[in-house]
Amino acid sequence: MKKTARRRYDERQFCVRAVHHDPPDLHKLCEVLIRLTLQEVGQSRAQRRAEDAPETYRKPARRDTTGGSD
């Protein structure tokens, strides 16, 4: 007597159905990859530029703290 309504593995029947898809549009795929790459490059470039000091920035002049006079 079976304890469950499940079938044993060797009693099961399996079938495979083929599903046909259109071939991928390589032009669209390339365009998407190029756009993503350019977007990523732009973001990383913006991050690097944000970390750098502006071109017009000058470091403050160092003061002589030794106390000596010339």
Side-chain angles (χ1 to χ4, degrees):
M1 178 179 268
K2 289 185 177 181
K3 293 184 179 181
T4 63
R6 296 182 183 172
R7 291 183 183 174
R8 291 178 37 187
Y9 185 80
D10 55 350
E11 293 176 358
R12 294 181 186 176
Q13 294 179 356
F14 298 100
C15 65
V16 177
R17 283 183 270 166
V19 177
H20 298 283
H21 296 284
D22 292 333
D25 187 349
L26 296 180
H27 293 291
K28 285 185 180 180
L29 181 60
C30 288
E31 183 179 348
V32 167
L33 290 175
I34 290 169
R35 286 177 184 259
L36 288 174
T37 302
L38 290 175
Q39 181 179 358
E40 186 175 310
V41 168
Q43 288 175 350
S44 63
R45 181 181 297 154
Q47 288 173 351
R48 286 193 308 267
R49 295 287 289 171
E51 293 170 0
D52 292 342
E55 294 174 4
T56 57
Y57 177 74
R58 293 184 185 166
K59 291 183 180 179
R62 296 183 70 192
R63 294 185 181 175
D64 188 13
T65 56
T66 59
S69 60
D70 290 343

